[in-house]
Amino acid sequence: MRDGEQTPGVALKPEDKLTIALKLEELGVDSIEAGFPIVSDGEFKAVRSIAREVNNSEVIALSRTRREDIDKAIDADVKAVHIFIATSDLHMKYKLKMDREEVVKAAVDAVSYAKSHGLTVEFSAEDATRSDPNFLARVFQEVVNAGAYRLDIADTVGIMWPSKMASLVKFIREKVKGGDYLLSVHCHDDFGMAVANSVAAIEAGADQAHGTINGVGGERAGNAALEEIAAAVKFLLNYNIRVRFEKIKEVSDLVSRLFRIPVPPNKAIVGTNAFSHESGIHVHGVLSNPLTYEPISPENVGMNRRIVIGKHSGKHSVVYILRSMGIEPSDEIVNMILRKIKEMGDRGLRVSEEDIRRIIMETLG
């Protein structure tokens, strides 16, 4: 919810953020990053209301390595804080104007301060994937020693690919010892691999992946889509997770409406076309056995199967539609209807459901 709202042009009212948070809790997510309390009065109020209303998911607030940020998170009543600082030479030189020793000290001091106030601490190394791996491991070890419970590898500009992300996860696991810490990843989608990188990280030993509903947010190309990570981890890796998949479509629609960002039709899991079929070959197969062209049942993720009629359709689609209307079709009627539909498609016209019903009724007289 924090990185999601960083989508350029998006601004949510505190009550909108609370509505989304309660839906995320209902969905069964483990942790909700509610916001960045020091940003504005409205953001502070939103985080505080979420911390007070959400009971079954951890509520966490973002913070820089500054005491005033951590104090603001404490005032917002959260019990967990996500502290970040950049660890790449590029960021340290041009953005932070700090050397490596200064970054290590700032990280350790912030984590120690938050721990002294009873907060659960997740420490994030911004631009971790462009950092010197050995320095990254050193920073992580220092903050674990200071009491950080979770470590986060942030692929801030989305430059990783799955095998490289898996290697980095394994490297950090080998190098950073003690503290019984959990390892997170935070992947951006600049090269379209945020979900793949997140799933590869989990398979390689990461415990947590950050995600946003519909993949919104995080500047530029957005974040890893939570619903896609969850579905891949559950149905491909066969891991047990708390997500209530039948709620995913409902939450996706809510976020789309409040963010005013439409979900692309071809979006995996929750897009209109994710379980839609037009091609005659596909329709024949899916009506015989859905597994022929659907890797999971649409009902698993709160979706419905759609048989779409168009120029690529075959007789099975028309028969399906007619029978769904209570009409037992003859070969002659089916052929007539199919010919008219294909003629429309060849003229570049989109065939709507209203068009199909009109064609059927005209053909039946």
Side-chain angles (χ1 to χ4, degrees):
M1 286 183 65
R2 186 274 309 170
D3 216 346
E5 198 187 4
Q6 283 183 211
T7 304
V10 171
L12 300 177
K13 295 179 289 187
E15 54 266 35
D16 291 338
K17 294 194 74 164
L18 177 59
T19 298
I20 294 173
L22 292 172
K23 281 296 181 184
L24 290 172
E25 178 185 33
E26 201 176 301
L27 182 62
V29 302
D30 294 300
S31 183
I32 299 170
E33 187 164 293
F36 198 173
I38 206 163
V39 162
S40 70
D41 290 340
E43 185 78 346
F44 172 80
K45 291 174 183 176
V47 174
R48 186 173 60 182
S49 67
I50 291 167
R52 292 176 176 179
E53 295 288 335
V54 170
N55 299 306
N56 297 317
S57 299
E58 176 192 65
V59 177
I60 190 166
L62 188 71
S63 169
R64 294 166 295 183
T65 54
R66 297 182 181 180
R67 291 195 173 192
E68 60 266 31
D69 285 22
I70 298 168
D71 289 339
K72 201 71 172 178
I74 294 168
D75 291 342
D77 291 340
V78 298
K79 294 181 174 61
V81 65
H82 177 193
I83 297 171
F84 75 97
I85 193 169
T87 54
S88 70
D89 290 329
L90 182 68
H91 275 238
M92 287 188 287
K93 179 178 180 179
Y94 292 102
K95 187 184 74 172
L96 298 179
K97 313 294 185 186
M98 296 168 68
D99 62 28
R100 291 186 174 190
E101 296 307 316
E102 289 172 319
V103 165
V104 171
K105 184 178 187 305
V108 169
D109 287 350
V111 170
S112 299
Y113 183 73
K115 281 293 294 181
S116 71
H117 286 79
L119 294 171
T120 297
V121 179
E122 176 164 359
F123 174 82
S124 185
E126 186 183 10
D127 208 25
T129 55
R130 291 193 294 182
S131 301
D132 173 352
N134 289 302
F135 177 64
L136 178 65
R138 180 193 165 195
V139 175
F140 278 160
Q141 186 66 70
E142 294 280 3
V143 297
V144 165
N145 294 345
Y149 175 61
R150 288 196 295 268
L151 305 176
D152 177 46
I153 298 171
D155 188 21
T156 301
V157 292
I159 52 88
M160 295 298 268
W161 55 92
S163 61
K164 190 175 182 183
M165 178 60 88
S167 295
L168 182 57
V169 167
K170 292 174 183 176
F171 176 82
I172 294 301
R173 280 290 190 208
E174 292 169 1
K175 292 290 185 179
V176 182
K177 306 297 183 183
D180 196 28
Y181 65 88
L182 299 181
L183 186 59
S184 305
V185 291
H186 178 106
C187 299
H188 283 257
D189 206 35
D190 295 76
F191 284 90
M193 291 186 284
V195 171
N197 288 334
S198 300
V199 175
I202 291 170
E203 189 176 31
D207 304 289
Q208 173 179 279
H210 296 186
T212 61
I213 296 294
N214 300 334
V216 296
E219 316 291 345
R220 305 178 317 278
N223 293 70
L226 185 152
E227 64 279 359
E228 294 178 26
I229 300 173
V233 169
K234 170 66 176 178
F235 299 111
L236 300 181
L237 300 186
N238 296 314
Y239 289 5
N240 289 322
I241 57 176
R242 292 178 59 229
V243 170
R244 299 174 62 194
F245 285 91
E246 71 277 7
K247 296 283 185 181
I248 279 181
K249 176 60 175 171
E250 182 183 340
V251 181
S252 169
D253 288 344
L254 173 67
V255 169
S256 176
R257 177 171 60 82
L258 292 179
F259 277 54
R260 297 182 177 87
I261 298 177
V263 175
N266 63 332
K267 169 77 169 61
I269 307 300
V270 294
T272 304
N273 291 348
F275 297 95
S276 296
H277 309 274
E278 177 182 329
S279 166
I281 295 170
H282 282 228
V283 170
H284 184 199
V286 85
L287 291 178
S288 300
N289 184 330
L291 287 175
T292 54
Y293 289 104
E294 290 174 352
I296 59 173
S297 170
E299 289 77 18
N300 284 346
V301 288
M303 297 286 286
N304 295 303
R305 181 177 302 113
R306 293 172 65 239
I307 303 301
V308 180
I309 303 292
K311 67 179 289 185
H312 302 100
S313 297
K315 293 181 180 180
H316 293 281
S317 301
V318 177
V319 169
Y320 175 85
I321 295 295
L322 287 169
R323 284 179 174 163
S324 71
M325 295 171 65
I327 301 167
E328 190 57 38
S330 67
D331 286 344
E332 181 183 4
I333 292 295
V334 169
N335 288 333
M336 290 172 64
I337 292 170
L338 194 57
R339 185 173 63 252
K340 292 177 181 178
I341 288 170
K342 287 179 179 290
E343 286 173 354
M344 286 185 66
D346 285 338
R347 296 202 307 271
L349 300 175
R350 180 180 178 275
V351 185
S352 67
E353 291 184 13
E354 292 76 13
D355 291 328
I356 294 167
R357 296 186 73 87
R358 175 182 54 77
I359 290 169
I360 289 172
M361 300 315 293
E362 287 176 353
T363 303
L364 294 173

